[in-house]
Structure formats: structure tokens, C-alpha cells
Amino acid sequence: MTPLTENADSISPATLTFELRFTSTPRGARLARRLASYCLDSWGHPYDSEVNETTALIVGELAANAVTHGRVPGRDALLRLTRYDEGTERLLRIEVTDTRDEQHPAIKPAAPATDPAPGTENGRGLLIVEALARTWGVTPRTGAPGKTVWAELPLRHRP
């Protein structure tokens, strides 16, 4: 399997996309994280690079949220990575789409009153995404029920 595909309607030859449908299970979320890391490695960002490790963390959090809070039995989730150029920057957009549209994550700045209680095992995923990504958000899924939670990372400045 080669996750390196050029986007057919891309304007820039630097635009690359990778898509993976994964089961809405913890095993599917783990597969999404591991294949995202493999994809970044094939795009020239080695496994031990900061951008690869950051991508793996963000994909892991978004995929875990999708299978925990966005799971609909019998329906898959979707991971999409898009590398593209914007001005002088090369960016990576990470998208995880699930099929449940009634539960949306709150988009608000982290505040002490909303931070998870010390010692709890969950509730920090989107705080991690917010800290690592340049920007993130939620958009409705087009053409079907669901939502897409996305994050963007700078890869590097173009020459």
C-alpha cells in the first residue's frame, strides 16, 4: 500500500492527499495513527521528526475521539491528510470524519474552569490538539450525517 497520491484537481504539484477509511473501534483508530505516520515518512518526514510525531499525536487524538464519541455501529470513520502550499508555507491538513452529527466538540480557548480534573484519564485530547496545531475546527460532513474535525500544521517554508 502506498499512501502517496496526487490530488487530481490540484493546482500545485506539491498537493498530496492520503485517505483511509477505518473501523470505528480502538483498533481502527490505532491503524489510522500508524498509517498517518507511515504516510508522513513517505512524504519525506521521517518517523522520528517533530512533524511526524506531532501528526501521530493529533491523528491519535482525533481518531480516538471519533471512535469514542462519534461512533455509529456499522459505519466507518475517515482519515484524510492533505499536504498543500499556501503562499510561502507548506501545510498539512489533518481531517477525521465520523458519522455522528449530534455531538460536536466545543471550540473554545482552554480555561482553568474547563480543564479536566487532575487524575482523570480523559478530557485532554482537544487541549493537546489545540496546543500542537496551528489551527483546528469542526465542519459539518457534506452529503451525509456527521462531522469533520480538522487541524492544520505548518510543515516548512517554501523556498
Side-chain angles (χ1 to χ4, degrees):
M1 178 176 149
T2 304
L4 185 63
T5 58
E6 287 200 38
N7 189 345
D9 23 308
S10 68
I11 297 169
S12 166
T15 300
L16 300 171
T17 58
F18 168 72
E19 287 188 1
L20 170 74
R21 290 201 181 280
F22 61 96
T23 59
S24 294
T25 63
R27 187 176 190 175
R30 184 176 63 244
L31 177 66
R33 178 181 49 81
R34 293 185 70 171
L35 288 177
S37 186
Y38 172 77
C39 178
L40 267 282
D41 181 65
S42 75
W43 288 350
H45 302 281
Y47 289 107
D48 62 350
S49 68
E50 182 178 345
V51 75
N52 195 312
E53 291 175 351
T54 300
T55 299
L57 280 170
I58 291 173
V59 169
E61 292 300 334
L62 297 183
N65 282 351
V67 304
T68 303
H69 306 293
R71 183 175 190 272
V72 174
R75 302 233 176 136
D76 292 340
L78 173 69
L79 167 67
R80 178 181 297 122
L81 304 177
T82 306
R83 186 189 83 179
Y84 66 98
D85 293 340
E86 183 175 88
T88 61
E89 280 191 302
R90 178 155 289 167
L91 301 172
L92 176 67
R93 184 176 175 99
I94 301 164
E95 299 176 354
V96 175
T97 302
D98 64 49
T99 56
R100 197 163 191 187
D101 58 2
E102 69 271 9
Q103 290 187 322
H104 287 254
I107 300 176
K108 57 187 173 198
T114 62
D115 284 349
T120 58
E121 291 185 13
N122 54 17
R124 293 175 181 80
L126 292 177
L127 294 174
I128 292 169
V129 171
E130 184 175 354
L132 296 175
R134 183 177 84 168
T135 185
W136 74 278
V138 182
T139 57
R141 183 176 175 203
T142 55
K147 65 187 166 299
T148 299
V149 183
W150 56 269
E152 290 184 341
L153 297 173
L155 294 177
R156 65 172 173 81
H157 288 283
R158 289 180 29 213

